[in-house]
Each structure stands twice: as C-alpha cells, then as structure tokens.
Amino acid sequence: MKEKMKEKMKAKMKEKVKEKDYLVRINNLKKYFQINKNTYLKAVDDVSLEIYKGETLGLVGESGCGKSTIGRTILGMYEATGGSVEFNGVKVFGMKASSTKEFKRKAQMIFQDPYASLNPRMLVSNIIAEGIDIHQLLKGKERTDRIYELLELVGLNKEHANRFPHEFSGGQRQRIGIARALAVNPEFIVCDEPISALDVSVQAQVVNLLQELQKQYGLTYLFIAHDLSMVRYISDRVAVMYLGAVMELADSNDLYEKPLHPYTKALLSAIPIPDPDIQKGRQRIILEGDVPSPINPPDGCKFVDRCSYAEEICKTKRPELLEVNPGHSVACHIWKDIKD
Ligand SMILES: Nc1ncnc2c1ncn2[C@@H]1O[C@H](COP(=O)(O)OP(=O)(O)OP(=O)(O)O)[C@@H](O)[C@H]1O
Ligand code: SF4
Ligand SMILES: [Mg+2]
C-alpha cells in the first residue's frame, strides 16, 4: 500500500515538474470564422499542444491549414471559438485587463510579409518603439538609446532610425520587424513564416539571427512555415497540421527520420535529398485531390479524401492525437499497420 502511495506521489511530482516546463499550453483550441448565418469555416478545429520554455516548436502544413490562425488566436488577436491557452500556467482568455496587457508584452509576433507589416508612413524609430510607447516603458534619451541598441542587435545601425520602411530591402525590413518584437523584452514569439518572403540568400541570415537571439534571451518560438525542409534545422520539435488539426508531433529528427502519419510521409517524400543514391531509392508519394474546404471538412479523419490507406473507420471517427512513442504523437487509426 505504502509503495503504491509512493508511486502516486512520484507520478504527481513528475507531472508538476513537467507543468512548470511549459510556457504555452493550448487546450482544445478552436477558431471558427462565421461565413454566413449558419456556415462556419473551421480554421482551427480542436488543437492541443504544449510549447516548452526555450524551445522552438515548428508548425508546418499547406497553405490555408490554419497555421497563422493558431498563432493569432494564441496571442488574442482573434477571439477563440472554444478551448483555452495557458501562459506560464495562467489562462490567458478572460484575464483581467492589467494581466492581458502584461501577456501582450510577453508574447509577440513576427509577421510573414515584411512589406505589409510595417506602416509605410512611420519612421523606423517609431515602428520599433511602438511596444515601448504602448507599455510606457521608456521615454526621451533612454527610449532613443534603446532604439539604437535594438537596431544594432538585429544587424542594422542607428543611422537607420530616421528612415522609412521603403528605404530598406526585404531582409532589412524583417530585421526591423524582429527589433520591434524584441523591444518589449518578450518571452515568447510567434514567428509567422518570417523568411518565406525573403531571397534564399537572406533566409539563412535571418534564421541565424533568430537563433542567436533565442540563445541570448532564452526566448521560446512558435515557428510557422509551409515547407518542412525549412523548419527542420531551426525546430526542436515539429507539429504537422492539416485542415485545422494536428496530424503528427515529434522531435525534429524523429519526425524526419521516422514519420508515422501518411500525410507527413507524403510531405517529406516531396523534399529532394541532395544524395542521389538515397534519392533514387525513395518513393515519391503523390497526394491525390485537393485540400478539402475547411467550411465542410470530412466527419472522420480530415485527411481521408487524400489518404491511400483509408479504411471504413476513417470516414466516421476522427483519430485523436496520441503519444505512441515517447515524445512522438500521431493522429491516425492505423499508423501501426502502415509499413513503408
Ligand atoms: N479573418 C478571416 N476570416 C475568414 N476566414 C479566414 C480568416 N483568416 C483566415 N481564414 C481562413 O482560415 C483558413 C486558415 O487560414 P490561415 O491564414 O490560418 O492559414 P495558413 O495555414 O496560415 O496559410 P498560409 O500558409 O497561406 O499562410 C483559410 O481557409 C483561410 O481562408
Ligand atoms: S486515420 Fe485513416 S484516413 Fe486518416 S491518415 Fe490514418 S489511415 Fe489515413
Ligand atoms: Mg499563414
């Protein structure tokens, strides 16, 4: 009996330690957009995920699968239809105004399009200081010094402070967007495809900058991308989304080396491998049909219309995302029987 109690206590302690390690916990999050009186577009449909302190969680999936909507709903830019988000163990929806303000400082976003996300009529100094001004953190010389410091931190210099966004290249604009996010000393940043709009030559520089900043400030990232090859090297873990739901979640290497979900396998098979011998031996999986509309998604598995392994149960029962190997979760009724 005593042993049993001890085991129980141990399990509880473990659970507590684990809880502490989460910075963000997303529980059954839903975001439906109302299209007309009785029609809803299910952009995010029951997603549960945890993001550990100091990690980069990659979030990948085809265009329109709900990646940006998740990011925006976590940060409170969209009102959630259902579910909850915890930040440092505290529920963020419905918090009192002062706590909401503090959360909005700690959780920032870097946007996909560095051309559209910077106000063309504002000076770079004022863009970067937006958060500082909203939260009334610094004034006068201290504010100016902080702007210069931030510009240098992201690889620009103080002469850039009094220019307008159109005077910069895409990569430089993204650096301004990063400086703006960093200005308020955040803990968590949603990086929404921060390098997709940039030239390949500049992408690595921006990724390196984000990684250096993460190390320096202990930042936690949700890194959104639609290309699996892009997130592999920046992410500790990767979640694969399809039509508003998470299909698979695993450590980055595990996901790339031992994918379990048919959709992940198909996405990976489309990435060319530089080694011709490996590339020759690989089977390219072509996805049939188009991504169905999120207005009328299938009742069972969301991937059923395009899955070559689909069985009867897949049409009627939605598979849950279950941890099937340590740290590796998959949402598929028959993942065990898929051998290739
Ligand atoms: N404000 C909105 N009103 C109505 N529908 C929306 C709104 N924002 C997004 N959607 C729809 O929600 C779905 C998910 O969109 P979202 O922008 O989250 O996808 P995404 O995965 O970020 O795509 P991309 O890779 O193209 O950025 C899409 O069908 C989109 O058309
Ligand atoms: S649950 Fe069925 S339809 Fe969905 S991925 Fe697995 S086999 Fe395919
Ligand atoms: Mg998006």
Side-chain angles (χ1 to χ4, degrees), residues 94-272:
M95 283 190 308
K96 56 180 192 214
S98 59
S99 307
T100 302
K101 201 172 169 198
E102 190 55 10
F103 169 67
K104 293 207 161 162
R105 181 186 71 71
K106 288 182 181 164
Q108 293 290 314
M109 186 145 183
I110 299 169
F111 296 90
Q112 174 169 1
D113 184 351
Y115 294 89
S117 62
L118 306 179
N119 185 335
R121 280 179 292 275
M122 270 170 87
L123 284 174
V124 165
S125 55
N126 292 331
I127 291 174
I128 293 179
E130 239 178 340
I132 296 177
D133 298 339
I134 290 170
H135 295 277
Q136 297 173 338
L137 301 176
L138 300 168
K139 276 189 181 155
K141 184 175 179 313
E142 280 183 335
R143 177 181 178 274
T144 311
D145 287 348
R146 177 73 175 140
I147 293 166
Y148 293 164
E149 184 191 18
L150 285 159
L151 280 166
E152 278 174 22
L153 196 64
V154 298
L156 298 169
N157 59 58
K158 57 181 178 183
E159 279 74 52
H160 291 132
N162 289 319
R163 297 197 195 163
F164 289 95
H166 73 261
E167 298 173 64
F168 294 87
S169 68
Q172 285 175 321
R173 284 181 208 216
Q174 202 51 301
R175 287 172 192 270
I176 296 167
I178 295 171
R180 171 174 62 183
L182 285 177
V184 288
N185 300 321
E187 294 175 22
F188 172 58
I189 304 183
V190 174
C191 307
D192 190 359
E193 305 213 33
I195 55 173
S196 306
L198 306 179
D199 283 352
V200 176
S201 58
V202 193
Q203 288 183 344
Q205 293 169 13
V206 173
V207 164
N208 288 342
L209 173 65
L210 286 169
Q211 284 184 314
E212 277 164 30
L213 294 168
Q214 179 171 45
K215 247 193 246 158
Q216 203 170 337
Y217 298 103
L219 297 166
T220 303
Y221 291 151
L222 176 65
F223 193 96
I224 296 172
H226 53 256
D227 179 352
L228 262 169
S229 59
M230 204 182 269
V231 286
R232 174 164 195 178
Y233 298 102
I234 194 168
S235 308
D236 299 289
R237 296 186 302 142
V238 174
V240 178
M241 264 189 96
Y242 185 80
L243 211 62
V246 174
M247 298 285 132
E248 187 162 5
L249 168 69
D251 280 356
S252 208
N253 286 336
D254 241 20
L255 189 97
Y256 286 83
E257 281 157 23
K258 288 175 251 157
L260 300 177
H261 197 283
Y263 179 57
T264 316
K265 289 181 188 191
L267 285 183
L268 283 171
S269 82
I271 302 175

Side-chain angles (χ1 to χ4, degrees), residues 261-262 301 303-304 307 309-311 314 319 331-334 338:
H261 197 283
C301 175
F303 190 52
V304 68
C307 182
Y309 303 96
E311 295 185 356
C314 309
C332 172
H333 293 303
I334 56 159
I338 300 172

Side-chain angles (χ1 to χ4, degrees), residues 31-35 41-44 61-72 78 112 192-193 224-226 241 244 293-295:
K31 176 63 197 170
Y32 297 171
F33 293 107
Q34 187 159 17
I35 302 300
L41 184 151
K42 298 180 174 177
V44 176
E62 288 164 283
S63 184
C65 72
K67 305 178 297 291
S68 297
T69 305
I70 285 201
R72 286 167 180 263
Y78 291 149
Q112 174 169 1
D192 190 359
E193 305 213 33
I224 296 172
H226 53 256
M241 264 189 96
S293 161
I295 292 177

Side-chain angles (χ1 to χ4, degrees), residues 40-59:
Y40 291 87
L41 184 151
K42 298 180 174 177
V44 176
D45 199 9
D46 205 354
V47 167
S48 297
L49 280 175
E50 283 99 17
I51 309 175
Y52 298 112
K53 275 184 190 156
E55 82 161 335
T56 297
L57 176 68
L59 185 62

